[in-house]
Amino acid sequence: MHGEKPKPRLKKRHVICMASDFFYPNTGGVEEHIFNLSQCLIKKGHKVVVVTHSYGDRVGVRYLTSGLKIYYLPVTVMYAQCVLPTMICNIALIRYILIRESIEIVHAHSAFSVMGHEVSIIAKLMGLKTVFTDHSLFGFADTSAVLTNKYLQMCLCECDHCICVSHTGKENTVLRAKVRAHKVSVIPNAVDAHSFTPDPNQRDPNVVTIVVISRLVYRKGVDLMAAVIADMCPRYPNLRFIVGGDGPKMWLLQEIREKGFQHCVSLLGSLKHSQVRDVLVKGDIFLNTSLTEAYCMAIVEAASCGLKVVSTKVGGIPEVLPEEMIYLTEPNVNSLVAGIEKAMQDLKDGQFLCPYECNARIRNMYNWENISNRTEVVYNKILLNKNKSLGQQLRSYLTSGVWPFLLVISLMYLLLKLSEKIYKRDNIDIAKDYKYKE
């Protein structure tokens, strides 16, 4: 009838498993991304569980904010917080979790995460949908990159959709993992601008304070950072550096500091994420010296706190902030020094955006509500994909050019069938979590 209004379409409620080696209590960009995205999805009515490996004594099932359920699997870490890629040893346990939680979509994070890839492959063999989010950029020449890229190519052959945090990251993933471009979306990271708020009163008006918060590893450009400190401190007596973070390159900064720069270089060591904002608000300028970066969360957090950002022009960084909020430089000492000097001059002349205006702009550009909405679109899209038979999946894996991998996939399929005989699906108690009842 013409007088009747059409009934509103009900939104699909998803049951999602976030899978990665990297999660709390470990800290970093991937861990923060998984946690915040999960919280937003739960608020929208979806059910989310996280599967990761054990961290010390943290084994079994735990709950975090908003009832986020975490499975810390009793799997030993082998290297850099990642488990050994056996592909078959955890099949029964992962299958049990996916069935018990009635999972529809597995969302794996980070190319380095072995567990994320394993859970995704098992999920595809069980007829579930899979999404993969890539958080990093990789090269193509060195041995490590070649092996990682080939492993990623094999694991993503059957992935329903990929997400990258920048357009540069998308190009990188399409090239190194040979994923079709139409199966890759760009959804950036976000920052809680309500937590990273400016406080100009915390700054020392008698000096110019440069803050660096980063893991002290080679790819973060610690060698450049040390050279910049050694170059600028003797020439600018009112310059102060505050460095937060830890890593194998810490010795380099300690060596620079011991050359008579104790008064102008403060090394804070490892910081909890809750402490980062209190350090940032003490600075006038934020320095990022990364040699490669898909999307730099640190510069967004610094801009949200009202700092002037000086950063190397690498990877996806030029896409992150508008030009009036960042000074982009080449990844060399002279260019970085020139960028810092320009920022110092603008600071002296009063040519800078109001810190609170910076915070408001970041709040509009990068917020988790928007990120979760865009991720929901991906989930809705992949649910329309048809499931493939084992033969069709094997043909897809064959495109990677690694024939022995077909034997691994076949063995995984047989072990899944064996698990079905031993632990029948009907005998697995489905989780009854009152928060998720419809």
Side-chain angles (χ1 to χ4, degrees):
M1 293 176 66
H2 294 293
E4 292 183 357
K5 293 182 179 179
K7 292 182 179 180
R9 293 180 64 185
L10 294 176
K11 289 186 176 180
K12 170 68 178 173
R13 172 183 174 272
H14 302 302
V15 186
I16 305 140
C17 171
M18 301 286 180
S20 181
D21 282 294
F22 311 108
F23 194 66
Y24 180 84
N26 199 41
T27 56
V30 176
E31 294 85 348
E32 185 186 349
H33 182 102
I34 295 172
F35 177 80
N36 286 308
L37 178 59
S38 299
Q39 292 297 316
C40 283
L41 291 171
I42 289 173
K43 288 179 182 177
K44 290 175 178 292
H46 305 295
K47 177 180 176 179
V48 183
V49 300
V50 177
V51 173
T52 186
H53 60 68
S54 59
Y55 280 88
D57 296 332
R58 192 180 290 264
V59 184
V61 178
R62 303 292 177 93
Y63 288 87
L64 295 181
T65 310
S66 302
L68 177 60
K69 191 174 185 179
I70 322 297
Y71 283 90
Y72 290 98
L73 305 189
V75 184
T76 304
V77 173
M78 295 302 296
Y79 176 73
Q81 292 300 340
C82 291
V83 300
L84 186 69
T86 62
M87 308 302 289
I88 60 172
C89 292
N90 307 310
I91 285 179
L93 182 56
I94 291 170
R95 172 186 172 273
Y96 177 86
I97 293 170
L98 295 179
I99 294 174
R100 175 175 168 76
E101 298 296 337
S102 305
I103 299 299
E104 299 172 346
I105 300 168
V106 169
H107 190 161
H109 292 261
S110 180
F112 286 117
S113 175
V114 172
M115 179 161 287
H117 295 311
E118 283 192 14
V119 176
S120 292
I121 292 173
I122 293 169
K124 287 306 297 182
L125 291 172
M126 293 174 62
L128 307 180
K129 309 303 180 188
T130 58
V131 180
F132 169 73
T133 296
D134 200 352
H135 295 262
S136 305
L137 295 178
F138 292 89
F140 299 88
D142 58 286
T143 305
S144 173
V146 170
L147 293 174
T148 303
N149 293 345
K150 180 55 71 174
Y151 178 66
L152 189 63
Q153 182 186 347
M154 293 188 297
C155 293
L156 296 186
C157 284
E158 270 298 291
C159 187
D160 288 288
H161 205 83
C162 295
I163 297 173
C164 294
V165 293
S166 67
H167 291 280
T168 303
K170 175 180 177 177
E171 293 174 7
N172 185 261
T173 299
V174 168
L175 287 172
R176 65 191 173 89
K178 294 181 171 56
V179 183
R180 293 182 179 179
H182 73 272
K183 290 178 63 177
V184 185
S185 298
V186 177
I187 303 177
N189 259 319
V191 64
D192 184 3
H194 296 280
S195 298
F196 287 88
T197 53
D199 187 0
N201 294 327
Q202 296 295 320
R203 298 175 181 176
D204 187 344
N206 300 315
V207 297
V208 175
T209 304
I210 298 177
V211 176
V212 181
I213 295 180
S214 166
R215 291 194 302 277
L216 302 181
V217 295
Y218 172 76
R219 77 175 189 89
K220 291 293 184 179
V222 181
D223 301 82
L224 286 177
M225 186 199 312
V228 167
I229 293 172
D231 180 273
M232 297 195 72
C233 282
R235 297 191 290 115
Y236 295 96
N238 67 329
L239 197 58
R240 299 291 182 269
F241 283 86
I242 299 176
V243 181
D246 202 354
K249 287 279 188 177
M250 172 66 89
W251 66 270
L252 189 58
L253 297 178
Q254 290 172 337
E255 193 175 78
I256 292 291
R257 191 170 181 270
E258 289 169 4
K259 292 180 178 179
F261 301 134
Q262 290 91 341
H263 66 288
C264 58
V265 180
S266 300
L267 301 179
L268 305 181
S270 181
L271 296 173
K272 294 181 180 178
H273 193 257
S274 57
Q275 299 173 311
V276 172
R277 183 261 176 187
D278 294 333
V279 175
L280 286 173
V281 293
K282 295 178 182 178
D284 301 289
I285 298 169
F286 183 84
L287 176 63
N288 174 57
T289 58
S290 293
L291 301 178
T292 176
E293 201 79 65
Y295 176 100
C296 187
M297 279 288 291
I299 65 174
V300 181
E301 291 171 349
S304 182
C305 290
L307 278 72
K308 302 176 78 65
V309 177
V310 178
S311 175
T312 47
K313 187 169 54 177
V314 297
I317 288 178
E319 303 174 30
V320 177
L321 294 174
E323 59 181 14
E324 61 270 20
M325 297 177 70
I326 187 170
Y327 298 86
L328 293 171
T329 72
E330 298 298 327
N332 60 65
V333 176
N334 292 336
S335 185
L336 281 164
V337 169
I340 294 171
E341 288 175 338
K342 189 173 189 312
M344 291 169 64
Q345 187 60 46
D346 287 351
L347 199 66
K348 183 179 178 181
D349 297 340
Q351 297 178 8
F352 55 88
L353 288 173
C354 169
Y356 297 99
E357 183 183 343
C358 290
N359 181 266
R361 293 180 66 173
I362 293 295
R363 193 175 304 178
N364 290 330
M365 286 190 290
Y366 301 113
N367 61 81
W368 286 109
E369 183 73 20
N370 176 262
I371 302 309
S372 61
N373 288 340
R374 293 162 71 173
T375 306
E376 269 186 308
V377 173
V378 172
Y379 293 160
N380 293 332
K381 180 180 178 181
I382 65 172
L383 285 178
L384 302 176
N385 294 351
K386 293 182 180 179
N387 291 331
K388 294 182 180 180
S389 64
L390 176 62
Q392 291 172 319
Q393 290 190 44
L394 289 175
R395 278 194 288 272
S396 294
Y397 288 118
L398 187 60
T399 60
S400 68
V402 184
W403 287 69
F405 195 60
L406 301 184
L407 299 177
V408 175
I409 298 297
S410 300
L411 178 58
M412 292 175 73
Y413 181 79
L414 292 174
L415 289 174
L416 276 172
K417 290 300 181 184
L418 179 61
S419 298
E420 179 66 35
K421 294 290 184 182
I422 300 173
Y423 307 105
K424 292 187 180 298
R425 184 179 290 259
D426 295 339
N427 295 335
I428 297 177
D429 293 329
I430 303 301
K432 301 292 184 183
D433 200 328
Y434 75 93
K435 276 185 174 292
Y436 304 117
K437 282 185 179 179
E438 291 182 310

